[in-house]
Amino acid sequence: MLNSLLLAALVVAHDPGYYTSLANHVRRWLGQEQVTARVVTPREMSDALASERIAFLVGFSSPTAAEMKTLHAFRARGGKLVVFHSASPALADLLGVKPVGYAAAPAPGAYSRMDFVPGALAGAPTSVRQTSTVLQRARPIPGRSRTVATWSDRAGRSTGEPAWLASDAGFWMTHVLLADGDEDQKARLLGALVGVADPSAWSLAGHRRRVSERAAATRAYALRQVPRAGEIHATWDHSGCGLYPGDWGRTMRVLREARVTDLLVNVAGAAFAHYPSGVLPRSKTFAQEGDQMAACLAAARGTGVRVHAWMICFSATRGAPATLDDYARRGWRLKTPKGALTDYLDPSNAQVRGRVLAALDELQARYPALAGLHLDFVRWGDAAAKPRNAAAVVTQFVAEARRRVRRPRWLTAAVYGKYPACVATVGQDWLGWLDAGLVDYLVPMDYCESNAKLDELLAQQATPRSHARRIVVGLGVTANESRLDARQVIEQINLTRKYGFAGVSLFDLDTTLEKSIFPYLKLGIW
């Protein structure tokens, strides 16, 4: 058996991109439960596993023979494995489960909560909220594994689809743990898994004590804050459906009570529309949920919340495969320097620009109650080949949008925070846009967990101070780049006030904001 004094966990990410970001969330949640964890690569896994008793495998869709040999040896020493979103027959055999194929959610919100079988996993929450859009489905094998949690839809109806399976070898999740809210419950779940591997390493009583102590300390800090008159309190809604799809009224009540002044709702992009567009491809969300722009505006009436249509300009990442294929045939999609297609569209293509601008016109004509249009991905793709005049092309587009979006309706834009680096990397000369009066407010995505780093960014963006009055600072509460708790959000809001910025916008409107951030902001700072 493994050394009983070694209580740490190992998180193995199979690639340096998306899966590493997910692995870092697992590490962060474990740290919240006072479980030391480190993230390693598969190459480092063999040596690292020698001193651990539980390993979390993220992105192991096709483990190599050498990796499987390492994992079998780990199991032979008594180690437990936790596998996320894999269809590997070899891993499934090791865990004693049966993969039954990949499946996309049949409808928005079909997989919105994981409900745990009472008593099946000691210390686990009753449920964990998470909206998953795809699954690598699996079934238990009689005598070898069992289902410990199933998926429910957003109305609370059980789908019967396994979310978690357990065996003597460990645990198998049919998706990944997403950083989309319910933070304490996800931390508790991971702590419970560690507790199976070593009961001395985690306890439910300890979890509850830590949650209570954090809440009390944060509340006391929040009560010492004071509001600032006239400040913009915005939030991005990436889903385009609000906190409660199908019930915009409930979302608006949450925003009003939280003293949110502006909602940036993502209802359109170059490859989708959550409303009955005659310009953009209509989305599955629109087909199943109806006109999200109209529903949002109707619910906002009388609340004091200003609604802005958030438009993804030059990215087609949320488009249907047929739409992406069509854009490739038209020659609209950018390529890398080596000629590979990307999901970004060409800002220099007149037809691409014309379609996005026509969508802006359409939104204004259809929805006169809109307070503004919010441009995002108004840039070249990070990895795409760009011409020498890349920045001039994007600036020309912003100028064309300005001519269409007439005051008092706002034109705002989300931008990269590091200037002037973003001019060369993605053609985003936002300082020039400010100086030329092309936008009413800029929203730099200043997503970082370090207050010192944020302070450096803010000092640069607030020079001269006249710029600060036209900048709403974007804070990454639940972004891939940063995760902030309520105290950190308050601290970062106070940093923006030091420089006289117009306000902040919080990314992203989800359960974390509703349950863990807004309640503290409205105690004092907002």
Side-chain angles (χ1 to χ4, degrees):
M1 295 295 291
L2 298 176
N3 187 335
S4 61
L5 297 179
L6 298 172
L7 308 179
L10 194 70
V11 189
V12 190
H14 213 277
D15 71 34
Y18 178 63
Y19 288 124
T20 295
S21 70
L22 294 175
N24 281 323
H25 290 311
V26 172
R27 176 190 55 77
R28 177 173 57 81
W29 284 318
L30 288 169
Q32 189 173 316
E33 294 302 299
Q34 298 187 340
V35 176
T36 302
R38 52 187 172 138
V39 176
V40 302
T41 66
R43 183 175 295 181
E44 300 165 318
M45 177 174 66
S46 180
D47 291 340
L49 282 176
S51 59
E52 313 295 358
R53 59 173 63 245
I54 186 167
F56 296 82
L57 307 182
V58 187
F60 277 67
S61 57
S62 301
T64 66
E67 290 165 0
M68 286 305 307
K69 183 177 179 181
T70 295
L71 295 174
H72 274 282
F74 177 65
R75 272 293 303 133
R77 298 195 304 274
K80 298 284 188 182
L81 296 169
V82 181
V83 179
F84 296 98
H85 197 57
S86 177
S88 164
L91 260 184
D93 181 65
L94 179 59
L95 270 290
V97 303
K98 179 183 178 182
V100 293
Y102 174 92
Y111 306 126
S112 290
R113 195 179 71 198
M114 296 171 275
D115 294 324
F116 284 81
V117 176
L121 174 58
T126 301
S127 63
V128 177
R129 292 185 298 272
Q130 171 171 302
T131 299
S132 293
T133 58
V134 296
L135 301 180
Q136 288 286 5
R137 296 177 303 149
R139 299 288 183 268
I141 296 175
R144 296 193 63 193
S145 58
R146 65 193 187 281
T147 298
V148 295
T150 57
W151 290 101
S152 291
D153 66 16
R154 65 180 177 220
R157 297 178 296 245
S158 176
T159 66
E161 189 67 49
W164 284 89
L165 300 98
S167 71
D168 290 343
F171 300 90
W172 185 281
M173 185 183 177
T174 54
H175 196 214
V176 293
L177 279 180
L178 300 171
D180 66 347
D182 227 2
E183 294 274 302
D184 285 340
Q185 298 296 66
K186 287 172 182 173
R188 174 178 167 178
L189 168 60
L190 293 178
L193 299 180
V194 170
V196 171
D198 186 341
S200 69
W202 182 87
S203 72
L204 179 56
H207 164 82
R208 287 173 170 161
R209 183 184 66 253
R210 287 187 292 273
V211 170
S212 177
E213 290 172 351
R214 279 198 306 271
T218 303
R219 179 178 174 82
Y221 179 68
L223 284 168
R224 296 197 297 270
Q225 309 305 312
V226 294
R228 193 185 80 175
E231 192 172 58
I232 293 172
H233 306 155
T235 183
W236 281 286
D237 173 28
H238 187 261
S239 74
C241 299
L243 287 166
Y244 300 94
D247 190 351
W248 268 108
R250 187 176 179 188
T251 293
M252 284 299 166
R253 289 192 292 275
V254 170
L255 297 179
R256 183 189 61 215
E257 291 169 5
R259 304 191 183 100
V260 169
T261 62
D262 293 82
L263 175 66
L264 312 172
V265 57
N266 189 197
V267 293
F272 76 94
H274 293 339
Y275 67 94
S277 176
V279 177
L280 303 170
R282 300 179 184 185
S283 66
K284 182 186 292 186
T285 295
F286 166 70
Q288 297 178 337
E289 302 289 336
D291 186 339
Q292 296 304 295
M293 192 76 269
C296 176
L297 287 167
R301 193 177 301 121
T303 65
V305 178
R306 294 180 293 242
V307 175
H308 306 253
W310 171 6
M311 164 70 76
I312 294 178
C313 297
F314 299 122
S315 171
T317 52
R318 293 176 69 179
T323 299
L324 289 172
D325 290 344
D326 177 53
Y327 288 180
R329 286 191 296 270
R330 293 170 183 254
W332 290 5
R333 289 169 62 182
L334 291 171
K335 295 181 179 180
T336 67
K338 293 185 178 180
L341 276 174
T342 75
D343 289 339
Y344 279 83
L345 305 185
D346 184 354
S348 68
N349 185 297
Q351 291 180 316
V352 171
R353 289 200 313 274
R355 177 166 290 197
V356 176
L357 292 168
L360 296 180
D361 291 341
E362 178 182 59
L363 281 163
Q364 293 182 93
R366 289 186 65 94
Y367 308 105
L370 277 174
L373 279 297
H374 180 64
L375 308 180
D376 195 6
F377 288 85
V378 57
R379 61 182 187 257
W380 294 79
D382 301 71
K386 295 174 281 293
R388 290 184 179 179
N389 67 337
V393 167
V394 176
T395 296
Q396 179 187 357
F397 170 82
V398 177
E400 291 171 343
R402 172 78 280 170
R403 285 191 289 271
R404 284 168 161 79
V405 181
R406 298 187 179 276
R407 296 180 176 95
R409 184 171 282 150
W410 292 357
L411 179 65
T412 60
V415 295
Y416 281 1
K418 293 182 179 179
Y419 187 94
C422 58
V423 180
T425 56
V426 294
Q428 212 167 51
D429 183 12
W430 55 256
L431 180 58
W433 305 351
L434 274 182
D435 289 340
L438 299 183
V439 292
D440 295 290
Y441 292 98
L442 281 172
V443 193
M445 298 174 287
D446 293 339
Y447 303 162
C448 55
E449 295 175 357
S450 164
N451 287 350
K453 290 181 180 179
L454 177 63
D455 195 44
E456 290 178 10
L457 271 175
L458 297 180
Q460 183 267 320
Q461 292 165 0
T463 305
R465 284 299 179 102
S466 59
H467 287 159
R469 292 193 295 271
R470 296 171 59 198
I471 290 176
V472 176
V473 177
L475 302 181
V477 182
T478 56
N480 287 332
E481 300 88 342
S482 64
R483 305 291 302 189
L484 307 177
D485 62 24
R487 187 185 185 100
Q488 289 173 299
V489 173
I490 292 170
E491 290 171 347
Q492 294 197 358
I493 291 173
N494 280 325
L495 276 178
T496 71
R497 290 179 174 178
K498 182 174 79 168
Y499 293 100
F501 287 97
V504 299
S505 184
L506 306 182
F507 186 91
D508 169 41
L509 184 62
D510 64 5
T511 303
T512 296
L513 280 193
E514 181 190 11
K515 304 294 186 183
S516 304
I517 306 298
F518 286 160
Y520 295 104
L521 299 188
K522 68 182 183 181
L523 289 178
I525 200 161
W526 276 10

